[in-house]
Amino acid sequence: MTSQPAERFELVTIRLPVVWTFLGLVAGLALGALLGQTAFIDRILVVSEPIGTLWLRALQMTIIPLVASLLVLGIAQMVGAARAGAAARRFVTLVFIILIASGLTTAVLMPLLLEVFPIPTSAVGFLSEVPEGEQQLPGLGDFVTSLVASNVIAAAADTAMLPLTIFFAVLAIAITRLPEGQRASLLGLFHALGNAMLIIIGWVLWVAPIGVFALALGVAARSGGGAFAALAHYILVVSAMGLVVLFGAYLVAFFVGRKSPLAFAQAMIPAQAVALSTQSSLASLPAMLDSSNRLGLRQSTSEFVLPLAVAVFRATSPAMNMAVAVYVAHLAGVTLNPMLLAAGIAVAFIISIGSVSLPGSISFVISVGPIALAMGVPIEPLALLVAVEMLPDIMRTLGNVTMNVAVASAVDRVGPAD
């Protein structure tokens, strides 16, 4: 009999003006580059810069409450899944290993990639809003003691994301241990909070074309047409980390699932085609089930693992979200020592579990922002990078869909779903 996870949560669905946001970015960069050397640009920036700043702050104000609610719901759902049976426990174990490996891969490879293919000097314009000041690198003792906040409210005020993330993760586990009535009440509260935050962030992102246009105008006025090259470099480098995870899916299918690489590649073609066209793991679920059938997986396994994977597992998230944070760190000249990278990996791991299926623009904001804050990386450049997320998101979906089927093959090899 197929096991079912104990908890299921549905969040509000928001449709966002992704294409208009991208066009706002392009228009702002083009107009800023055109007028950047004229006296007229100063009059425009007097109006556009406050608009861009207001939009950026509106985006930032939703991060902590949205992360809190999604973390509690996502981890509660994961704990519920782990209690559902042996197959679920095998799935959760694989998810943990893959997510940690995903983050570690970027922590090692991304700095090397940026050494070989450095960020264009024209990208300096993205730093216009970054506060200046010498960064204080934490020592080992400071890092360890910072993991637990003595005052959660103060930590939220200081946007200390690592202790906040750990607190809400522990809170989520504690909630799952409460009596059913109390557990339902608290989860209902966080469910409602998450939906309310999604509605607010949906409003903010609906005016993203205006906010991104205003920010891009200032960036291009300072960096000229080179901003286009900088964005192209960013898209390629970040997508490369997703490509590594995609390759890792074939390794999981071969070494753990014992599937021929050629047979796995052929079986994945329909699901990957849907993933490329829809950029949605949920929309790709029927095609993933078909790919599992082509691979000869037990129906009980695929019908249990794949829907659960779509709900709680995004293999590319730690790798690509860490890649964005590391990219911005290099952009801002922030030195990333092993402890800061470890903090980023820890937050990326926990956030990836909590970031349930959301539109790409929203998941970008609530996933990368906390990682950057935990690593001491300025988050202001993210306001422009969100406008091009639609392009790296193709690699995110492709990698996630492929890894989902690879994990299903691995679970199926160990044994059928309970």
Side-chain angles (χ1 to χ4, degrees), residues 108-160:
V108 173
L109 295 183
M110 187 68 175
L112 297 176
L113 188 60
L114 290 176
E115 288 292 328
V116 178
F117 302 101
I119 299 174
T121 55
S122 57
V124 69
F126 285 101
L127 300 177
S128 58
E129 300 296 330
V130 175
E132 296 182 357
E134 184 178 354
Q135 182 198 22
Q136 299 295 322
L137 297 179
L140 178 60
D142 293 333
F143 173 74
V144 173
T145 57
S146 71
L147 297 179
V148 178
S150 60
N151 186 326
V152 177
I153 305 301
D158 294 335
T159 59

Side-chain angles (χ1 to χ4, degrees), residues 204-227:
V204 175
L205 290 176
W206 263 111
V207 295
I210 298 172
V212 168
F213 173 83
L215 291 172
L217 193 63
V219 167
R222 282 175 286 269
S223 59

